[in-house]
Each structure stands twice: as C-alpha cells, then as structure tokens.
Amino acid sequence: KAGVTQTPRYLIKTRGQQVTLSCSPISGHRSVSWYQQTPGQGLQFLFEYFSETQRNKGNFPGRFSGRQFSNSRSEMNVSTLELGDSALYLCASSVDSTEQFFGPGTRLTVL
Amino acid sequence: AQSVTQLDSQVPVFEEAPVELRCNYSSSVSVYLFWYVQYPNQGLQLLLKYLSGSTLVESINGFEAEFNKSQTSFHLRKPSVHISDTAEYFCAVGGAGGTSYGKLTFGQGTILTVHP
C-alpha cells in the first residue's frame, strides 16, 4: 500500500498571505489528523476529520481550518500567515483514528 | 485531558550498549500508547503500539516497551543499539472517543545519539 502523501513538501510564504496544504491518506483510511511541529511547542494537534466531518479540534485560532473530501483526501488552510506559523505540518491517517500513520510533512516558512 | 512527559531530552549512548527512553503519561480515560521515531527532515514512523492485551510490546527492529498502568509509564528499551538508531523518539497517548477522536498527545521528544 502506498503511504500517506503530502504536497507540497516545502513552501515559502510572506506574512499576510494564505496557504493550502494537501494530504492523501492511505487507501481505505477514513480518518485524517493534522499536527503542527515546531522546536518550541513540539507536536500539537490541529484537527481531525472522519468521513468529511470534523470530529475534533485542537487549540488553534480560527485562521487554521481544514476540510475532507469524499475520497478522504484532506486539505488544511492557514489564512493571514504570521511568522509564528513557520513549522512542519504533518498529517496522519488511520482506519478508526487510533493507530495513526504519518506523512513526510510540509515544511512551511513564513517570511 | 491527557499529557505525556518524556523524562530525558537527550540520551547519548555507545554502540551495542542498552538504552531506555522513559515516558510517563496522564489520562482520565483508557489509553492507547505509541512510540514514534523521527529521522531528520522526515515524518514520524510508528515504532510500536499498545492498544490492549499483552502489556509488553515489541517492534521488528529490537525495541520493546512495557505498559505499566500502576506507574502510568510506557518506557522504551533496546538491549543493544546501533548507529542507525540515532534519531528523535516521541511517546504519544491517544484515547477512545469524545475529545480524543483522532488526537494524539505527544511528549517533547528524546534525541537518542549512538556513538561508535
């Protein structure tokens, strides 16, 4: 089976712009979770989608949003980018949101 | 709410020596426990998991961890490490349903460095 794929792998944006990141889960996985990884805060949960519904959300501002499509692919969007949004964004897929398999991540740099 | 504490931020060891990476967790609900490994500029790879059943779980590359409910611990051990084990290791806890849907809570990570 192919693993979790994330595109793009690297992204450079400037403050105030918005960005969309994409995640394709392992075939048959209906749950997709997103995480932000930074040196200072570590790995933090953003949100989880299951069958196109957001079931859980972490403690992030409303500038962070996501969605899931009928084929289980997911996107996350960050609007009005701030310098502090620079991070590695990881998505993970699972059959039932327990055992999660991670993609390689998207490295976002905000200038 | 759940939390994870990894007691060592860095662990240096020599090749072929044993190693233990310590992890303690706090949770008000039944938990699932995981160890992930991250190599530079890569995502997280699942190393091993405790979902239920036997409290001792093993990976294919020689690591093992034991779920200790009374001590709320899930320490990772390997009897003999290799240079290739050099990486950052994350302990994580997940729960069943409710506010735990799809959410793993991670520790701050332990950087394991294996010296020749």
Side-chain angles (χ1 to χ4, degrees):
Chain A
K1 270 187 182 177
V4 178
T5 58
Q6 292 187 246
T7 56
R9 290 294 311 279
Y10 302 91
L11 208 47
I12 299 175
K13 293 286 188 179
T14 56
R15 281 179 297 174
Q17 287 187 309
Q18 75 166 14
V19 68
T20 299
L21 313 181
S22 180
C23 172
S24 292
I26 293 170
S27 177
H29 287 194
R30 295 164 65 189
S31 170
V32 174
S33 299
W34 288 89
Y35 297 84
Q36 181 195 65
Q37 185 178 24
T38 60
Q41 298 299 315
L43 282 150
Q44 295 185 286
F45 172 75
L46 283 155
F47 29 66
E48 187 252 7
Y49 287 85
F50 185 90
S51 293
E52 303 180 65
T53 300
Q54 184 183 89
R55 293 195 302 184
N56 203 357
K57 189 178 189 302
N59 189 27
F60 278 81
R63 299 186 298 107
F64 292 82
S65 63
R67 60 178 175 169
Q68 187 180 34
F69 302 94
S70 59
N71 61 357
S72 294
R73 190 177 70 84
S74 178
E75 290 181 345
M76 68 163 281
N77 183 277
V78 188
S79 62
T80 320
L81 284 166
E82 301 177 359
L83 294 178
D85 297 333
S86 293
L88 180 66
Y89 290 89
L90 294 162
C91 84
S93 77
S94 67
V95 173
D96 57 1
S97 81
T98 52
E99 185 177 351
Q100 296 185 18
F101 297 89
F102 283 78
T106 294
R107 173 76 63 185
L108 172 65
T109 302
V110 182
L111 302 175
Chain B
Q2 296 174 327
S3 66
V4 177
T5 302
Q6 291 184 239
L7 295 156
D8 306 291
S9 58
Q10 296 190 56
V11 173
V13 294
F14 287 106
E15 195 172 19
E16 298 183 5
V19 70
E20 178 180 77
L21 307 185
R22 297 178 294 167
C23 172
N24 287 98
Y25 70 92
S26 172
S27 176
S28 57
V29 298
S30 296
V31 297
Y32 308 121
L33 293 160
F34 306 89
W35 277 98
Y36 285 89
V37 58
Q38 186 175 37
Y39 298 98
N41 299 314
Q42 295 188 24
L44 301 174
Q45 297 178 27
L46 180 63
L47 189 60
L48 44 75
K49 65 193 179 197
Y50 170 78
L51 302 180
S52 65
S54 173
T55 57
L56 182 65
V57 291
E58 299 177 351
S59 72
I60 58 173
N61 57 354
F63 283 95
E64 66 176 31
E66 186 161 17
F67 170 52
N68 188 317
K69 189 174 182 178
S70 62
Q71 297 186 5
T72 60
S73 68
F74 192 55
H75 302 330
L76 180 69
R77 302 183 182 94
K78 189 171 185 179
S80 176
V81 294
H82 302 286
I83 297 287
S84 59
D85 293 325
T86 295
E88 189 161 17
Y89 292 78
F90 291 93
C91 180
V93 61
T99 59
S100 299
Y101 276 128
K103 177 182 178 180
L104 293 177
T105 300
F106 287 87
Q108 287 298 309
T110 298
I111 296 173
L112 173 64
T113 304
V114 181
H115 298 283

